[in-house]
Amino acid sequence: DALPIFVLEVMGRHCGYLALVTALACGADWVFIPESPPELEWEEHLCRRLIETRGRGSRLNIIIVAEGAIDLHGNPITSEFVKNLVVKRLGYDTRVTVLGHVQRGGTPSAFDRILGSRMGVEAVMALLEGSPDTPACVVSLSGNQAIRLPLMECVQVTKDVTKAMEEKKFENAVKLRGRSFQNNWNVYKVLAHVRPTSTKSGYNLAILNVGAPAAGMNAAVRAAVRIGIINGHTMLAVHDGFDGLAKGKTEEIGRAH
């Protein structure tokens, strides 16, 4: 039996970063972010997408809504509005979860602990190395390096993003969020919105897990399968590791898996 459609509202006010990375992490069917509002008549597109995915055998659909999501006219798109839309037009059991500050909880990973230590050291070093004339700074992460950025420059960029959205220059708003945000948005659009090619490539690609389960492997496999299918490859799942590969324990997998 199909599970309910889950509409998750995440915090972030007028910044869609949390919503975007959440959508990437869970393989959401749709994400609403303020920096890139959906196209006109998005309601029909969303409903059509849900019908198609359920028709392919998907039992679970997830829709992520940023706290400050808007449409092309600047009207707010709320989680309750999305829920009522799906229920009214499709009759699917749909539930809303507003995560709010619950997102700030959870057990920190080793990376989180190390990052906190490194950025804390960088903040103290900025104080020790500063002078009364040193501009205020923000400790940030660039790649895997803790860096210092002028506070007022960061504030100005935030203002520029807000201005771009007010002027409906949404492509500029996405670019102003930075390269990481832009790359994440482009990856999500490929994984969630690009349709598979109608021609087959002739390649068969198998996905094989080795060893104990690792955090993030579901997302990695899902992304690999979708990219393969988009490019016309036949994607196969191998059961029971290398032993299953030797015995031919393979199964073709599609976007619904």
Side-chain angles (χ1 to χ4, degrees):
D1 293 337
L3 296 172
I5 291 175
F6 291 97
V7 181
L8 275 69
E9 181 179 311
V10 299
M11 60 188 277
R13 199 169 290 271
H14 302 298
C15 178
Y17 177 79
L18 281 177
L20 179 54
V21 294
T22 300
L24 275 175
C26 70
D29 297 276
W30 200 285
V31 60
F32 295 93
I33 59 174
E35 295 86 352
S36 186
E39 60 190 10
L40 294 174
E41 299 182 352
W42 62 267
E43 297 93 338
E44 287 75 13
H45 189 180
L46 172 60
C47 292
R48 186 167 63 252
R49 167 71 59 78
L50 295 174
I51 292 171
E52 289 176 353
T53 56
R54 297 247 160 167
R56 290 197 301 263
S58 176
R59 298 178 59 251
L60 175 65
N61 297 103
I62 299 175
I63 300 169
I64 307 296
V65 182
E67 185 179 17
I70 56 175
D71 63 18
L72 285 173
H73 302 295
N75 302 313
I77 297 176
T78 66
S79 52
E80 283 294 332
F81 179 85
V82 175
K83 172 193 172 182
N84 293 335
L85 170 72
V86 175
V87 171
K88 181 178 179 180
R89 296 200 182 186
L90 302 179
Y92 293 161
D93 182 13
T94 307
R95 303 178 188 180
V96 170
T97 298
V98 181
L99 294 178
H101 288 80
V102 172
Q103 294 166 95
R104 295 178 183 239
T107 304
S109 65
F111 176 83
D112 296 330
R113 296 178 185 277
I114 294 170
L115 177 62
S117 299
R118 290 175 55 200
M119 297 187 77
V121 168
E122 190 66 28
V124 173
M125 294 303 297
L127 287 172
L128 294 176
E129 296 171 3
S131 69
D133 299 324
T134 301
C137 70
V138 175
V139 177
S140 183
L141 190 68
S142 178
N144 62 351
Q145 298 296 318
I147 62 171
R148 305 171 200 173
L149 298 174
L151 173 62
M152 295 315 297
E153 287 186 16
C154 297
V155 172
Q156 185 59 50
V157 170
T158 300
K159 291 182 177 179
D160 290 343
V161 174
T162 301
K163 182 179 179 182
M165 289 193 290
E166 289 175 349
E167 296 175 351
K168 296 181 172 56
K169 298 178 180 177
F170 297 111
E171 288 188 8
N172 288 342
V174 171
K175 291 179 181 178
L176 287 167
R177 285 293 185 207
R179 186 172 57 186
S180 176
F181 186 96
Q182 193 172 3
N183 289 341
N184 284 338
W185 180 233
N186 290 334
V187 168
Y188 175 77
K189 287 190 292 184
V190 169
L191 293 176
H193 293 279
V194 175
R195 291 180 174 274
T197 178
S198 58
T199 58
K200 287 291 185 179
S201 68
Y203 287 99
N204 295 328
L205 302 181
I207 304 293
L208 175 69
N209 284 338
V210 179
M217 280 309 302
N218 284 346
V221 170
R222 180 176 60 246
V225 169
R226 290 193 174 187
I227 290 295
I229 292 174
I230 286 170
N231 286 280
H233 307 323
T234 298
M235 303 301 296
L236 304 170
V238 179
H239 298 277
D240 300 333
F242 284 114
D243 186 56
L245 179 63
K247 295 179 180 178
K249 294 183 178 180
T250 61
E251 175 187 0
E252 184 174 349
I253 46 179
R255 286 177 67 96
H257 285 70

